Amino acid sequence: MKNIFHFVSFFAIFMMSSCVAKRDRTIAIDVLLLLPQNLSEEAILLNTAILKNNPDNFTLDKDHVPHITLLQCYVRQSDLPKITMALNGLYNMIENESLWANELQYKKDQPQSFASIGIEKSSALLAIHERAIALVQPYITTGGSQNAFIPTKDGSPIDQFTIDYIPKFVSNYSYENYNPHISLGVSETSVLHYLEKNEFREMKFKAPAVAVYQLGKYGTARKLLWKSE
């Protein structure tokens, strides 16, 4: 009987430890602005054209949501309730602001380039970017790995560039270095020239919500964790 009691106790402690470890794992998140339908469709259209030229890209769809990043970082999963509570009210900063998707960004002097829809860095957009960092900063952690991301459907590993990029976002890609954009993928520059001339449309828009997503491969927004009301 004593052996059974010890076994049951050990099993209970093991299960509790496993649950705590699972809840407290490090995850990669994106605090982002969602897009109105017309701009989201524009991004998907351009991404589809890029995929035809270079299939080795991410696909923008309902599981890889087009968006504008405000902040990417690693956090503890157990801190998510505190983070989302801190972010309540953040959308008020941008709700009535008009934003401008004003260019197709890519390196025109190279044979191949990463492309994105550039968003004008207005004072309102910069302000909400900086406020998002300030609100989440107390919960940012380090040590993210493959397990911090939503797994790929084909089982391929998360790219090392993305794993290394996340903890550098605040130090290297924020404030004066912040470049608001909608990622589209990598393509031959000749294709991007054509898209810029014939397909891309400048667009004024308002962001319908702020959201938090868990990231996947190539920094895609994969799993919705929270959305402003």
Side-chain angles (χ1 to χ4, degrees), residues 17-37:
S17 299
S18 297
C19 290
V20 170
K22 185 175 181 180
R23 287 198 305 270
D24 209 27
R25 70 188 181 98
T26 298
I27 60 172
I29 66 167
D30 196 329
V31 182
L32 55 83
L33 295 178
L34 293 174
L35 307 179
Q37 184 175 347

Side-chain angles (χ1 to χ4, degrees), residues 149-168:
F149 298 82
I150 297 295
T152 56
K153 292 181 179 179
D154 61 6
S156 59
I158 304 299
D159 54 298
Q160 192 61 44
F161 176 85
T162 299
I163 294 173
D164 295 339
Y165 178 92
I166 303 303
K168 298 176 183 176

Side-chain angles (χ1 to χ4, degrees), residues 13 17 100:
I13 293 171
S17 299
W100 187 19

Side-chain angles (χ1 to χ4, degrees), residues 126-141:
L126 183 58
I128 193 174
H129 157 69
E130 293 179 352
R131 184 60 178 158
I133 294 174
L135 292 171
V136 180
Q137 186 80 60
Y139 308 103
I140 294 177
T141 188

Side-chain angles (χ1 to χ4, degrees), residues 6-172:
H6 286 321
F7 174 77
V8 172
S9 299
F10 173 80
F11 182 75
I13 293 171
F14 173 77
M15 291 300 293
M16 288 175 64
S17 299
S18 297
C19 290
V20 170
K22 185 175 181 180
R23 287 198 305 270
D24 209 27
R25 70 188 181 98
T26 298
I27 60 172
I29 66 167
D30 196 329
V31 182
L32 55 83
L33 295 178
L34 293 174
L35 307 179
Q37 184 175 347
N38 56 345
L39 183 53
S40 182
E41 289 174 350
E42 167 92 349
I44 290 172
L45 178 69
L46 294 170
N47 170 253
T48 299
I50 287 172
L51 282 166
K52 289 178 181 177
N53 173 253
N54 180 16
D56 189 20
N57 271 303
F58 55 85
T59 300
L60 293 178
D61 55 24
K62 63 181 179 63
D63 296 318
H64 305 79
V65 177
H67 65 278
I68 302 167
T69 290
L70 297 175
L71 166 66
Q72 291 184 351
C73 60
Y74 291 122
V75 299
R76 295 287 184 185
Q77 188 169 4
S78 60
D79 282 333
L80 276 176
K82 297 176 186 176
I83 292 169
T84 56
M85 185 176 295
L87 292 173
N88 275 326
L90 182 65
Y91 179 59
N92 296 340
M93 294 182 65
I94 205 76
E95 182 177 10
N96 297 315
E97 298 290 339
S98 290
L99 304 176
W100 187 19
N102 63 348
E103 64 176 323
L104 187 64
Q105 294 180 338
Y106 62 100
K107 295 180 179 179
K108 296 177 172 60
D109 59 347
Q110 296 186 6
Q112 190 178 66
S113 175
F114 176 80
S116 62
I117 297 175
I119 310 299
E120 181 187 40
K121 190 163 68 173
S122 64
S123 57
L125 188 51
L126 183 58
I128 193 174
H129 157 69
E130 293 179 352
R131 184 60 178 158
I133 294 174
L135 292 171
V136 180
Q137 186 80 60
Y139 308 103
I140 294 177
T141 188
T142 58
S145 65
Q146 296 276 334
N147 295 331
F149 298 82
I150 297 295
T152 56
K153 292 181 179 179
D154 61 6
S156 59
I158 304 299
D159 54 298
Q160 192 61 44
F161 176 85
T162 299
I163 294 173
D164 295 339
Y165 178 92
I166 303 303
K168 298 176 183 176
F169 185 89
V170 174
S171 60
N172 293 11

